[in-house]
Amino acid sequence: AGQYNLFLMELVTHLMKMTRRSGVGVEEVFGTGFSLPIQDSALPSLEELEGWCAERYLRLRTLIRRRQTDSAGQTVEAAKEYIRQHYASPLTIAVMAEQFHMSEKYFSRYFRIATGQNFTAYLNTVRIEKAQSLLLETDETVLEIALPAAMKMSATLTGFSAVRRAFLRCNIVQHLAPE
């Protein structure tokens, strides 16, 4: 019984450390009112101990995954807002990954999963939407609006013709006709 109690204490202590390190509340994993030491009468057999530990481990794993998913979603929303505010800057995956303290691969993957399009396509869409808005709301010419956009986009698209095609897809052609 003495070795069983020692094993039980070590196992529970390890689970509690994992819980605290992950940032999950101890109560979420172990329940309210949980305290050490656990009475050996609460888990009298190894089978019951195994079931109890498996339940706590699975609960911890679920809570950690939920927290990671929520965090990734918040980061992507923050990245989208950052893009909307800094669309005129030379943004790249490397810049964004550094801004949000992620690896380029991780940022790119989660951005694509969350938005349904890759970073470059999303950035170019924001830039084109802004250009379209400027055409409708200002007296600037198409050339004055499109040229800066083309310069920013040419590194990610294949030159001006690709930018022109992107503008045409946005029905901006109507602004090219003389009045």
Side-chain angles (χ1 to χ4, degrees):
Q3 287 205 343
Y4 176 78
N5 286 341
L6 182 61
F7 174 72
L8 177 61
M9 287 297 293
E10 286 182 28
L11 192 58
V12 172
T13 301
H14 182 68
L15 273 171
M16 288 184 82
K17 284 180 181 179
M18 285 176 35
T19 300
R20 286 190 178 113
R21 283 188 196 135
S22 68
V24 174
V26 173
E27 296 81 25
E28 293 178 88
V29 176
F30 293 94
T32 55
F34 177 79
S35 65
L36 290 174
I38 296 177
Q39 302 300 319
D40 55 345
S41 61
L43 299 167
S45 70
L46 285 176
E47 291 79 21
E48 289 176 287
L49 173 62
E50 179 182 3
W52 185 86
C53 286
E55 183 181 315
R56 296 316 175 277
Y57 169 76
L58 291 174
R59 191 178 303 162
L60 176 60
R61 187 179 74 177
T62 300
L63 291 167
I64 290 171
R65 284 187 178 162
R66 187 177 305 144
R67 183 172 283 209
Q68 288 171 337
T69 301
D70 292 348
S71 176
Q74 290 171 353
T75 299
V76 169
E77 286 305 312
K80 288 167 58 179
E81 181 60 28
Y82 187 87
I83 291 167
R84 286 189 291 274
Q85 291 176 1
H86 299 90
Y87 71 92
S89 301
L91 297 177
T92 63
I93 289 176
V95 168
M96 296 298 290
E98 183 176 332
Q99 175 70 26
F100 291 95
H101 312 288
M102 305 168 112
S103 73
E104 291 178 34
K105 186 174 180 178
Y106 186 80
F107 175 83
S108 180
R109 177 175 178 244
Y110 275 98
F111 192 88
R112 187 175 80 276
I113 289 169
T115 64
Q117 60 187 141
N118 69 39
F119 167 76
T120 302
Y122 184 86
L123 174 61
N124 288 337
T125 299
V126 169
R127 286 175 173 164
I128 289 170
E129 287 171 355
K130 181 62 177 174
Q132 187 176 24
S133 173
L134 289 171
L135 281 170
L136 295 172
E137 297 168 5
T138 69
D139 292 331
E140 292 182 74
T141 66
V142 171
L143 187 58
E144 290 170 331
I145 292 170
L147 194 56
M151 295 302 204
K152 291 176 187 78
M153 294 170 68
S154 65
T156 54
L157 294 172
T158 53
F160 186 79
S161 63
V163 174
R164 183 179 155 277
R165 284 192 305 274
F167 271 85
L168 293 174
R169 282 194 304 270
C170 292
N171 295 323
I172 295 178
V173 176
Q174 63 193 358
H175 297 282
L176 296 173
E179 294 185 25

